[in-house]
Amino acid sequence: MEGGWPLMRGFLLCLTVSLLLQGGGDTFTINRSGFDQDGVDPAAFQAVFDRKAFRPVINYSIPTEVNISFTLSAILEVDAQLQLLTSFLWIDMMWDNPFINWKPEECVGISKLTLSAENLWLPDIFIVESMDVDQTSPGLTAYVSSGGRIYYSKPMRVTSICNLDIFYFPFDQQNCTFTFSSFLCTEDSMLLGMEKEVWEITDMSRNVIQTQGEWELLGINKVTPKMSVGSKVYDQIMFYVAIRRRPTLYVINLLVPSGFLVVIDALSFYLPAESENRAPFKMTLLLGYDVFLLMMSDLLPSSGTPLISVYFALCLSLMVVSLLETVFITYLLHLATTEPPPMPQWLHSLLLHYTSPRKCCPTAPQKENKGLGLTPTHLPASHSGVVT
Ligand SMILES: *[C@@H]1O[C@H](CO)[C@@H](O)[C@H](O)[C@H]1NC(C)=O
Ligand SMILES: *[C@@H]1O[C@H](CO)[C@@H](O)[C@H](O)[C@H]1NC(C)=O
Ligand SMILES: *[C@@H]1O[C@H](CO)[C@@H](O)[C@H](O)[C@H]1NC(C)=O
Ligand SMILES: *[C@@H]1O[C@H](CO)[C@@H](O)[C@H](O)[C@H]1NC(C)=O
């Protein structure tokens, strides 16, 4: 349609911009029927442009309905220390301007125009969680349809606060919120709505997100609670964006090498204890593990204690314990080979005390003999009697 502008010269474009004034109910109809040289005459829209400071409604007790939607086009950064999510959004807004109105069939079939957005009233929608000023470039355009519906879309880099939980790092899943609300307009002057369903936003975002970076979009949900501050009630729409970290990088760089080192450390018990190099080997492994932890520490989140840090600490302490055990075994072997140690006095007496037969089963055989009525002297006698 944009390319069609030169062709349109010479056609009769009858653009009617109705300007309805509140109060008296007067209707100014500005109709331009002489566009044969210059395309759209700015004068036809001048009345609309002049009123851009005011909310475009005929009756001020009717709130303006603004439909919003967005596309998540990139997840740039997730900062666990500052609890910030940096993302890139394309925000779409739609609302009606009742002062703009023309009939396409009278105007060579033109049903929509682009206008510079600076000339129009724009709703002051912002994202509550955003921690950054809106750096949208000013020279954006908006589509205006013949019925007065305005489609405005802007790209926005959003640094929003998000409650990040890194306990399950790198298998974590985050749930961040984007709350769209008007900065100033309360419920009785602006209402927010949605034209698209949430699944459409999710699908669109999934198709658009090009960066195969660290994060993967899981889904988007929405709720529409009202926010009341004092006696004012603001309409708002909250979107929950669930994202999941792709763990491959961390599994390959953190979990696998660490696991290997621990396995090697455990298997090094197969080294014969008499050969002198088991302890140096373990010491080298421990040193290697320390260097590994130092080098990989910038891959770990810099705040909080994720489970993986506990795992690393556990691995390190296992390796230290195994080294200590090796030292102890080497010491025992050393003692055993150089001089057979004398048994300590306490061990000696302890062993003698508990293993002496008198204490163990004291009088049981004698009692049994008495119960049977057999005396030691009797037994050999009867025995000899049977034999003889
Ligand atoms: C154009 O405006 C004049 C008054 O300014 C009005 O009489 C006429 O009906 C209008 N034409 C159209 C097509 O609206
Ligand atoms: C504006 O709208 C309200 C509520 O719909 C209605 O009561 C009032 O009469 C309207 N005012 C005018 C001037 O149309
Ligand atoms: C907003 O969306 C609803 C459908 O959800 C639609 O009925 C309404 O006309 C839309 N309003 C604007 C201003 O786009
Ligand atoms: C995100 O958190 C909100 C409340 O904090 C919850 O209602 C919603 O279900 C959560 N979404 C996901 C995908 O976990």
Side-chain angles (χ1 to χ4, degrees):
M1 198 203 73
E2 297 287 275
W5 281 117
L7 293 175
M8 242 180 284
R9 291 187 178 167
F11 284 94
L12 197 74
L13 178 66
C14 30
L15 185 71
T16 311
V17 178
S18 318
L19 182 62
L20 298 107
L21 284 184
Q22 194 204 359
D26 296 330
T27 305
F28 292 102
T29 304
I30 307 158
N31 57 29
R32 290 289 310 171
S33 15
F35 274 63
D36 40 354
Q37 294 304 313
D38 305 314
V40 178
D41 186 359
F45 279 95
Q46 201 54 52
V48 175
F49 295 168
D50 288 346
R51 310 186 109 236
K52 70 169 181 180
F54 307 99
R55 190 160 64 89
V57 278
I58 297 162
N59 182 345
Y60 266 83
S61 48
I62 294 173
T64 303
E65 193 191 340
V66 181
N67 281 356
I68 56 170
S69 126
F70 72 96
T71 305
L72 184 67
S73 69
I75 299 164
L76 300 174
E77 200 189 337
V78 177
D79 188 333
Q81 193 174 13
L82 299 176
Q83 302 269 302
L84 290 179
L85 163 78
T86 309
S87 52
F88 204 78
L89 302 186
W90 300 339
I91 298 175
D92 301 315
M93 294 183 230
M94 273 149 273
W95 67 96
D96 284 329
N97 187 331
F99 302 128
I100 301 175
N101 180 25
W102 74 85
K103 289 195 175 68
E105 61 271 20
E106 291 173 13
C107 310
V108 284
I110 293 173
S111 58
K112 57 180 182 179
L113 292 172
T114 51
L115 284 182
S116 171
E118 289 168 6
N119 295 313
L120 295 170
W121 175 88
L122 299 176
D124 61 340
I125 307 278
F126 83 118
I127 296 176
V128 176
E129 285 82 14
S130 180
M131 290 290 121
D132 211 350
V133 286
D134 186 359
Q135 290 163 343
T136 313
S137 62
L140 291 172
T141 51
Y143 262 122
V144 180
S145 76
S146 60
R149 183 153 292 186
I150 297 175
Y151 301 87
Y152 177 61
S153 190
K154 64 177 179 182
M156 205 169 152
R157 186 190 163 103
V158 182
T159 303
S160 59
I161 199 141
C162 177
N163 194 7
L164 300 167
D165 177 15
I166 43 111
F167 185 68
Y168 293 109
F169 174 89
F171 301 98
D172 52 341
Q173 191 172 316
Q174 308 295 349
N175 183 1
C176 293
T177 318
F178 292 128
T179 307
F180 288 78
S181 176
S182 169
F183 198 67
L184 188 72
C185 299
T186 49
E187 197 186 24
D188 45 10
S189 56
M190 194 185 289
L191 287 178
L192 299 181
M194 288 193 42
E195 209 160 44
K196 284 187 194 169
E197 294 294 321
V198 192
W199 63 264
E200 286 178 276
I201 295 180
T202 314
D203 278 4
M204 182 75 183
S205 301
R206 277 220 189 93
N207 292 339
V208 163
I209 286 190
Q210 288 300 322
T211 51
Q212 289 298 312
E214 201 185 332
W215 295 89
E216 182 188 352
L217 178 68
L218 284 185
I220 299 176
N221 267 321
K222 93 163 183 197
V223 284
T224 52
K226 307 265 185 211
M227 176 174 65
S228 51
V229 180
S231 59
K232 294 172 184 161
V233 180
Y234 296 90
D235 199 16
Q236 60 178 16
I237 301 184
M238 284 171 110
F239 293 96
Y240 293 117
V241 178
I243 53 177
R244 183 172 56 200
R245 199 189 295 268
R246 290 193 173 93
T248 327
L249 172 82
Y250 301 97
V251 170
I252 291 174
N253 283 324
L254 293 176
L255 293 181
V256 172
S258 168
F260 276 160
L261 284 176
V262 171
V263 167
I264 292 174
D265 188 76
L267 291 183
S268 69
F269 276 110
Y270 281 112
L271 281 178
E274 307 86 47
S275 81
E276 294 278 304
N277 52 14
R278 194 202 265 184
F281 181 77
K282 281 185 184 274
M283 216 122 56
T284 319
L285 273 184
L286 195 62
L287 200 67
Y289 197 71
D290 271 339
V291 173
F292 162 78
L293 283 188
L294 268 183
M295 279 171 58
M296 291 304 165
S297 65
D298 53 345
L299 275 184
L300 291 176
S302 42
S303 70
T305 312
L307 208 52
I308 194 170
S309 297
V310 179
Y311 164 74
F312 284 151
L314 202 70
C315 286
L316 192 67
S317 34
L318 277 181
M319 292 172 87
V320 169
V321 165
S322 105
L323 178 65
L324 287 180
E325 195 188 348
T326 305
V327 168
F328 185 62
I329 289 175
T330 315
Y331 167 72
L332 286 186
L333 277 175
H334 176 73
L335 279 188
T337 47
T338 48
E339 55 196 78
M343 187 177 279
Q345 194 55 48
W346 57 271
L347 188 59
H348 190 249
S349 52
L350 193 79
L351 285 176
L352 281 185
H353 181 75
Y354 276 109
T355 54
S356 71
R358 280 181 293 110
K359 287 261 173 182
C360 167
C361 16
T363 49
Q366 293 171 4
K367 271 186 181 172
E368 268 183 356
N369 286 349
K370 273 177 189 169
L372 284 169
L374 296 168
T375 56
T377 48
H378 194 179
L379 261 172
S382 63
H383 192 248
S384 58
V386 172
V387 170
T388 48

